[in-house]
Each structure stands twice: as C-alpha cells, then as structure tokens.
Amino acid sequence: IIQGSSKEALRIIDRVYNHGYDIKVFYRMLMQHFRNLMVCTIDPALLDVVKEEMDELCNQAALLGAEQIQFILDFLLNKEQELMFTYNQRLFVEAIVIRLCNTKELF
C-alpha cells in the first residue's frame, strides 16, 4: 500500500490466505500498522516497539504523510464492519487493498 503496488499487495494477501491465516486477523493487523504509522507522525515515543521497528515505522510514515495515513486508517476502520459480514472475505480485502494502493493519486 505504501509503495502503491497493487501487484505486490495481492501477492501478500495470496500468501497469507494460502498459508491458512485468518483474513480478518490480517485485516486487523493492517489497521494496527496504520494506527502505528499515524502515532509515529504525532509522537513516536508513544509506540511500544523496539527502536528498529520505530525507525521503520517512521520511515514509512514519512513516505505517506499524516493526511494520507489518516485517510487510509479511516477507510480501513469504516470498512471493518462490512468485512465481518461479507461472504468472500479474501475478495473484499483484495478490493480494499487495491483501492488503498491508489490513494497517492488523491494527495
């Protein structure tokens, strides 16, 4: 999503799905990651992660910027409820991730 690569994002989802991981757990982890990116733009000291991970999060946050991170996080949060009730969760997450890969065009 950060790199804007729909192809790579779909490959990641494919690996997650084919290794038997719960797609809802993956989605929650994705939301948590963007939450951490948002916090990084405000005060990285509030993150409960090791320094190396904090540095990586801050680098990723700088690539997107606070406004785009907030947009992505809001979008993920707003779609979470729909994920719980959709029949094809993999397809749903793929569609969301592809849309998020293209958010740079909005900023």
Side-chain angles (χ1 to χ4, degrees), residues 27-91:
Y27 191 85
R28 287 187 196 111
M29 291 174 66
L30 186 62
M31 288 191 304
Q32 181 65 37
H33 184 75
F34 278 94
R35 177 258 179 210
N36 288 344
L37 293 178
M38 180 187 65
V39 170
C40 206
T41 66
I42 299 166
D43 184 1
L46 296 173
L47 294 171
D48 187 25
V49 296
V50 296
K51 179 166 179 9
E52 293 79 20
E53 187 175 352
M54 183 184 301
D55 291 344
E56 179 61 26
L57 287 167
C58 290
N59 288 337
Q60 290 178 12
L63 290 171
L64 292 176
E67 189 176 355
Q68 189 174 2
I69 292 167
Q70 188 63 54
F71 175 85
I72 291 170
L73 185 56
D74 286 345
F75 189 83
L76 289 169
L77 289 167
N78 288 329
K79 295 294 185 180
E80 182 183 21
Q81 185 74 21
E82 291 177 49
L83 173 64
M84 300 308 144
F85 296 106
T86 189
Y87 175 73
N88 191 333
Q89 294 175 342
R90 177 183 178 174
L91 176 61

